[in-house]
Amino acid sequence: MLTYQAEVLRTLISDVIQQNLNAGLWQWMNEKIAPVGDIRQFNIAFVSVPRKTGKNILRVTDEQNAAIREAGAGLDITSWTVDRLSRIWLVSSLHHKDEEKYFQTIENLFLSAEVNELVALYSALSVLHYPERWTKRCAEGIRSSIGAALNAVACNNPYPAAYLDEPAWNQMVLKAIFTDNPLDEIIGIDERANADLAKTLSDYAHERWAAGRFLNPLVWRCVGKFINTGIFPDIEKLAASGHAYNREAAALACRDSAYAPAQELLNKNPNMKSAIASGQLSWKALAEKMKNYVLQ
Amino acid sequence: MCCSNNITEKDLQPGIRDKSYLERIKGMQFFDPHIHMVSRTTDDYEAMVDAGIVAVIEPAFWVGQPRTGIDTFRDYYSSLIGWERFRASQFGIKHYCTIGLNSREANNEPLAEQVMELLPLFVYKEGVVGVGEIGFDDQTPAEEKYYRLQLELAKEAGLPVQIHTPHRDKKRGTTRSMDIAVEHGLDPGMVIVDHNNEETMKEVLDRGFWAGFTIYPFTKMGNERMADIVKQVGTERIMINSAADWGISDPLAVPKTAALMKDMGIREEDIRKVTYQNAMDAFAQSGQIDEADFTGVKNIDQNLKFGKNTVLRGGQQPRTDKSSIIIR
């Protein structure tokens, strides 16, 4: 499993948030997490954060950004707002000696959260204490139909890859595909690819094709390593597609595969092969192209 | 909600759908400060955005049957700040709400006590622009008790109050609501008294409160009467809403009334006051409305609209052709 360093992340987040708040606000936040503090005051503080901090984009230095990416398995907070990280800091810094009390306090915040609070809470999963206790809550977020909440769980979040079991992980990737979330922003998308997910995606492709609907070529990123006799015909179909992005996805999937017929298929297309070798064609490059792609 | 009207055969005939009024209000922006979207469909959201509605306020209300436990209250309030806000955003409409314990359910005192404990967790949330809708229904002692407690809550949180005035014994109920608000030290400029009619409006306006008018067939105001009122008394502190809910009501009541006012010769700047600006000014006192939000929403739409339909379209809802029998 892909891991991250929660304790290091918490320290880095503390540094960033302190430099983004004035001294008075920083003190106000610290008072709210005091071990003797009362939970009602903590709740109101969590809820009213944007009124205090505003909603500007965070100021993060390049060094801090690099350190957070390193400790967070690729986590990137540079587009986050001050209120979002302030809330993350509050829940990750709350006194946590009493496990039950800590768990219940955070659970209650989830239960009455509005959209921006949900986003902050799900983004905080990786820095909450007792990480193994949040897997059910994480799976609940994956069930969310609120776009921003689902995005906060699935994308740019190191928690799911580190803690979700395979069925829950697969459910998250499928949900992300169904809701057009950017797959390349899922931390651990390659590391946690698995045969079961590949089979499900192959079935999904057949459904889309039967309905005459477009299939995002990026889904094949999760399939390449698991190409077998069952899946290979899909890749052949893709390689013969009239659409260039499908052909590129087929070539990349073959590159990821150790299955001999898949390697032969790629060898038949020296142009694609050299584009891959030169780095001109990659899953990342294809994802960038898809971001600007308009369905005809 | 609807009533026991005497229905004739004529009333049961399907109406003609004439949308030509949209042409006459093209380019205008509307703010409906009282609408219960939880009871409406996504088709309504689509029609609303087409008619120029850029923002709405959804007051917490009576959902048609009594709630039996605190958890359903919590889930309801959560839906106002979560699911409904998201649903509106899919159509580029900015969704705000007011949070409160409605007067009918104030009569279930054991439950009302628990709701009062829950309210502080919600009234400080982003996009909560007031405490509402609160006030009187039956005008019982329990209703008065929780009305007073919620006025105190609004004062503590620095939020405007949205008052529901009763259907029965309306005039006295309206006066009493204002008396109590003043008694608790609320500035009338922070209080929106809703569901006015020709009989209640004078006192409301004279005492410095905001006057909401609900355009709602059969039971509240009709919009011809509304246009007459604007002609007679002007636009100061007057705002129009639909209060559309699960009854026979109209989520397009605000833009339709604007079109009618135009037909009746009312100036566009006056129409703007009563269908947008006054509601904005009243509820912006919460500090939770930024007019740039509306232009913001619009800009986001534009950015996301790479074409009619894009992969990764960022949560916007694609349009379907409702007149086609083919569904793809």
Side-chain angles (χ1 to χ4, degrees):
Chain A
M1 284 202 184
L2 200 67
T3 53
Y4 59 88
Q5 300 156 272
E7 201 50 55
V8 180
L9 267 185
R10 280 191 282 264
T11 309
L12 290 166
I13 285 173
S14 254
D15 293 344
V16 172
I17 208 64
Q18 189 176 357
Q19 93 192 10
N20 275 274
L21 300 177
N22 64 40
L25 264 180
W26 177 240
Q27 196 194 334
W28 176 80
M29 297 254 290
N30 276 281
E31 282 162 15
K32 300 301 171 182
I33 55 149
V36 288
D38 104 47
I39 292 300
R40 188 171 180 271
Q41 285 305 313
F42 173 77
N43 286 340
I44 291 177
F46 178 83
V47 164
S48 51
V49 155
R51 292 175 197 223
K52 301 270 184 187
T53 65
K55 306 176 75 160
N56 288 332
I57 300 287
L58 286 165
R59 285 176 289 111
V60 187
T61 66
D62 291 345
E63 293 75 37
Q64 286 170 328
N65 184 28
I68 287 170
R69 291 188 76 101
E70 161 103 36
L75 174 66
D76 184 339
I77 66 163
T78 49
S79 65
W80 290 7
T81 52
V82 179
D83 59 313
R84 180 170 176 177
L85 198 69
S86 297
R87 281 177 166 150
I88 293 171
W89 183 87
L90 277 174
V91 289
S92 67
S93 309
L94 180 65
H95 192 64
H96 60 275
K97 279 279 177 295
D98 182 341
E99 176 173 342
E100 262 334 291
K101 192 174 167 197
Y102 177 79
F103 179 74
Q104 270 318 322
T105 304
I106 309 286
E107 264 295 295
N108 276 329
L109 292 180
F110 272 104
L111 290 179
S112 62
E114 56 84 45
V115 179
N116 291 332
E117 291 170 19
L118 280 178
V119 167
L121 286 166
Y122 284 120
S123 314
L125 286 176
S126 60
V127 287
L128 292 181
H129 298 274
Y130 313 108
E132 54 298 316
R133 290 204 68 174
W134 304 104
T135 54
K136 280 210 169 67
R137 180 46 65 188
C138 181
E140 194 59 41
I142 293 164
R143 277 178 216 114
S144 174
S145 299
I146 297 179
L150 174 64
N151 178 268
V153 182
C155 295
N156 192 25
N157 189 338
Y159 180 87
Y163 287 98
L164 289 187
D165 61 15
E166 192 170 290
W169 173 264
N170 290 354
Q171 201 48 241
M172 186 185 88
V173 175
L174 289 171
K175 189 85 190 272
I177 291 169
F178 272 71
T179 50
D180 293 336
N181 271 287
L183 293 191
D184 57 316
E185 290 178 21
I186 297 180
I187 292 177
I189 185 77
D190 295 325
E191 292 85 347
R192 295 228 34 197
N194 59 79
D196 198 47
L197 179 61
K199 173 74 174 74
T200 309
L201 288 173
S202 165
D203 289 347
Y204 173 57
H206 293 184
E207 282 182 58
R208 298 290 295 185
W209 290 335
R213 292 185 176 130
F214 183 77
L215 174 69
N216 187 337
L218 294 170
V219 306
W220 301 101
R221 178 173 183 166
C222 306
V223 177
K225 276 186 258 177
F226 305 94
I227 294 174
N228 56 20
T229 45
I231 292 174
F232 187 60
D234 296 347
I235 306 299
E236 286 182 297
K237 185 182 164 101
L238 210 60
S241 161
H243 200 296
Y245 294 171
N246 281 338
R247 296 195 298 275
E248 292 180 8
L252 287 164
C254 289
R255 186 270 321 264
D256 296 342
S257 171
Y259 184 65
Q263 292 176 339
E264 282 163 35
L265 186 62
L266 181 57
N267 285 334
K268 283 184 204 154
N269 195 334
N271 286 347
M272 291 265 193
K273 203 175 170 182
S274 66
I276 291 174
S278 72
Q280 189 194 342
L281 176 58
S282 64
W283 286 118
K284 193 169 168 41
L286 186 55
E288 283 306 314
K289 285 193 259 188
M290 284 305 298
K291 276 179 187 157
N292 295 310
Y293 175 65
V294 179
L295 268 190
Q296 301 306 313
Chain B
M1 61 211 84
C2 190
C3 52
S4 51
N5 233 39
N6 286 326
I7 308 175
T8 67
E9 202 48 40
K10 185 169 156 278
D11 296 319
L12 299 175
Q13 298 306 310
I16 303 160
R17 289 178 192 271
D18 175 10
K19 289 187 176 174
S20 61
Y21 75 91
L22 289 177
E23 281 302 310
R24 307 202 288 286
I25 51 170
K26 210 169 181 174
M28 293 184 75
Q29 291 197 323
F30 303 108
F31 182 11
D32 189 341
H34 188 146
I35 185 165
H36 301 288
M37 292 311 297
V38 75
S39 307
R40 311 297 310 187
T41 66
T42 40
D43 280 7
D44 287 340
Y45 271 124
E46 203 168 270
M48 286 159 66
V49 76
D50 286 346
I53 295 177
V54 294
V56 297
I57 295 173
E58 175 152 7
F61 82 143
W62 156 260
V63 288
Q65 68 175 34
R67 281 164 275 224
T68 58
I70 188 66
D71 287 349
T72 49
F73 265 102
R74 173 161 62 194
D75 292 341
Y76 172 66
Y77 295 142
S78 290
S79 76
L80 296 187
I81 53 172
W83 181 240
E84 278 310 318
R85 196 172 279 181
F86 168 69
R87 214 158 67 101
S89 74
Q90 290 182 302
F91 297 87
I93 292 177
K94 192 80 188 163
H95 181 284
Y96 301 98
C97 64
T98 58
I99 294 282
L101 170 64
N102 67 84
S103 47
R104 284 192 199 210
E105 285 168 294
N107 290 303
N108 180 347
E109 284 204 59
L111 188 52
E113 281 303 322
Q114 297 175 58
V115 174
M116 286 308 302
E117 272 182 43
L118 189 63
L119 289 178
L121 198 54
F122 285 95
V123 296
Y124 290 97
K125 297 221 186 235
E126 272 188 89
V128 175
V129 297
V131 172
E133 51 181 312
I134 60 172
F136 287 113
D137 177 51
D138 253 2
Q139 306 190 40
T140 64
E143 288 174 19
E144 182 174 333
K145 173 180 169 191
Y146 293 103
Y147 174 53
R148 286 177 183 275
L149 285 170
Q150 292 183 90
L151 290 176
E152 286 299 318
L153 180 65
K155 229 169 67 174
E156 190 186 316
L159 287 173
V161 176
Q162 193 171 23
I163 294 181
H164 164 92
T165 51
H167 296 260
R168 300 170 300 281
D169 196 11
K170 188 178 195 75
K171 203 167 173 187
R172 269 197 297 181
T174 303
T175 304
R176 192 170 158 204
S177 303
M178 290 187 286
D179 289 345
I180 295 174
V182 170
E183 189 190 317
H184 280 262
L186 273 97
D187 171 2
M190 285 290 273
V191 181
I192 296 91
V193 179
D194 215 340
H195 315 317
N196 279 283
N197 57 30
E198 294 87 343
E199 296 300 307
T200 57
M201 64 176 190
K202 188 172 184 311
E203 187 190 346
V204 171
L205 291 169
D206 285 351
R207 294 177 73 173
F209 290 82
W210 297 86
F213 288 86
T214 298
I215 310 300
Y216 196 117
F218 310 127
T219 57
K220 298 191 175 86
M221 287 290 292
N223 58 5
E224 293 155 306
R225 284 160 60 202
M226 188 68 233
D228 285 339
I229 288 175
V230 170
K231 277 188 162 179
Q232 283 159 23
V233 306
T235 60
E236 202 188 335
R237 277 178 286 114
I238 286 177
M239 66 183 79
I240 297 171
N241 62 63
S242 70
D245 57 7
W246 32 257
I248 298 172
S249 44
D250 192 340
L252 301 178
V254 175
K256 280 180 180 172
T257 303
L260 185 75
M261 287 179 169
K262 221 166 174 192
D263 293 347
M264 291 172 70
I266 296 173
R267 292 182 311 168
E268 195 164 315
E269 58 188 279
D270 289 332
I271 298 174
R272 181 181 158 80
K273 279 235 167 90
V274 296
T275 58
Y276 182 90
Q277 195 60 51
N278 288 348
M280 177 76 61
D281 293 346
F283 286 99
Q285 298 180 94
S286 65
Q288 292 300 301
I289 296 184
D290 181 353
E291 220 169 328
D293 286 351
F294 309 153
T295 43
V297 168
K298 291 288 169 215
N299 286 341
I300 289 165
D301 287 354
Q302 294 308 317
N303 291 341
L304 292 173
K305 234 176 264 166
F306 297 122
K308 248 192 164 170
N309 236 336
T310 77
V311 178
L312 312 175
R313 64 178 182 276
Q316 277 280 310
Q317 291 292 296
R319 290 303 184 101
T320 57
D321 179 1
K322 296 251 160 52
S323 61
S324 169
I325 61 162
I326 310 284
I327 299 169
R328 289 204 176 90

